[in-house]
Amino acid sequence: MALFSKQNKEALTNPLNLDHPILIQVLGICSALAVTSQLKPAIVMGLAVTVITAFANVIISLIRNTIPNRIRIVVQLVVVATLVTIVSQILKAVAYDVSVQLSVYVGLIITNCILMGRLEAFAMQNKPWPSFLDGIGNGLGYAMILVIVGAFREFFGRGSLLGFQIIPQSVYDFGYQNNGMMTMPAMALILVGCVIWVHRAYFYKEK
């Protein structure tokens, strides 16, 4: 089927490995560092970016032939800002505690270079379905790194995952202490760097 052609499959799967937005293109690093001190907000942010990227790609692809070239960036920003506002209001309604944890970072999705990069580089040149798959792929690729870093930081920094205590109290009684450095933004940068190093060393060979 045309819906699942080779090109469409590549649009979905390449951002998960060969054309990963963080590991290969090194985009979206700032927000990846800001929201990964705990796993739950990292998951929510990853899902939010995935949804916004996918639907922004579809909308821009649908209207790409009617957008005057000189104002295309403005139109893209308006579309993204509208979707971000909708997602932000939904988060406040159904997951207020996570919304508070994410603070201003949901609003700052508007400036996420992954979104603007995909709109300009892909959605403006492709039809809605491939653009949707590209948005899903890039969003999931971004979310994957947030989940890895968020889980690592929360586990070693707080001894918990998703707010549930994983390391038993008996371990602390023996003298174990949480690594306070894991809660600092600098450790997020180091962990992202380590993930990039592992990925490029073992899974990705530059041509």
Side-chain angles (χ1 to χ4, degrees):
M1 296 176 62
L3 289 177
F4 300 101
S5 65
K6 181 180 178 181
Q7 291 79 8
N8 288 344
K9 289 180 180 177
E10 289 178 350
L12 177 63
T13 59
N14 279 357
L16 300 176
N17 185 20
L18 299 177
D19 197 25
H20 196 283
I22 292 180
L23 302 181
I24 305 302
Q25 301 178 55
V26 197
L27 300 175
I29 293 290
C30 296
S31 56
L33 305 183
V35 300
T36 54
S37 62
Q38 295 184 55
L39 181 56
K40 189 174 182 180
I43 292 174
V44 173
M45 176 62 89
L47 291 176
V49 170
T50 301
V51 170
I52 292 169
T53 306
F55 284 98
N57 268 13
V58 170
I59 294 171
I60 292 299
S61 178
L62 287 170
I63 64 175
R64 69 188 188 281
N65 294 324
T66 63
I67 302 175
N69 187 59
R70 65 182 182 276
I71 62 167
R72 70 186 190 282
I73 301 298
V74 175
V75 174
Q76 291 169 13
L77 283 171
V78 169
V79 170
V80 172
T82 301
L83 291 172
V84 168
T85 302
I86 293 171
V87 168
S88 177
Q89 294 303 311
I90 292 174
L91 275 178
K92 289 179 180 179
V94 302
Y96 183 75
D97 57 331
V98 178
S99 176
V100 171
Q101 281 183 287
L102 291 173
S103 183
V104 299
Y105 297 111
V106 174
L108 289 176
I109 293 175
I110 297 171
T111 62
N112 193 314
C113 43
I114 295 175
L115 269 81
M116 299 307 298
R118 298 325 296 167
L119 293 177
E120 184 70 11
F122 198 93
M124 287 293 291
Q125 284 81 40
N126 291 275
K127 294 181 178 180
W129 178 244
S131 298
F132 177 76
L133 294 178
D134 178 79
I136 291 291
N138 277 276
L140 291 178
Y142 170 83
M144 178 177 68
I145 301 303
L146 263 63
V147 168
I148 292 172
V149 176
F152 200 91
R153 292 181 67 191
E154 182 176 354
F155 180 77
F156 288 100
R158 303 173 187 268
S160 62
L161 286 175
L162 294 174
F164 297 100
Q165 194 65 33
I166 302 299
I167 300 177
Q169 183 59 43
S170 58
V171 176
Y172 292 101
D173 293 339
F174 274 106
Y176 177 82
Q177 293 185 355
N178 293 327
N179 188 340
M181 288 187 64
M182 284 294 173
T183 62
M184 300 173 63
M187 280 306 301
L189 180 61
I190 293 172
L191 288 173
V192 170
C194 290
V195 174
I196 292 174
W197 171 71
V198 170
H199 181 265
R200 294 196 178 190
Y202 294 98
F203 301 108
Y204 177 80
K205 303 297 182 182
E206 294 190 55
K207 296 181 180 179

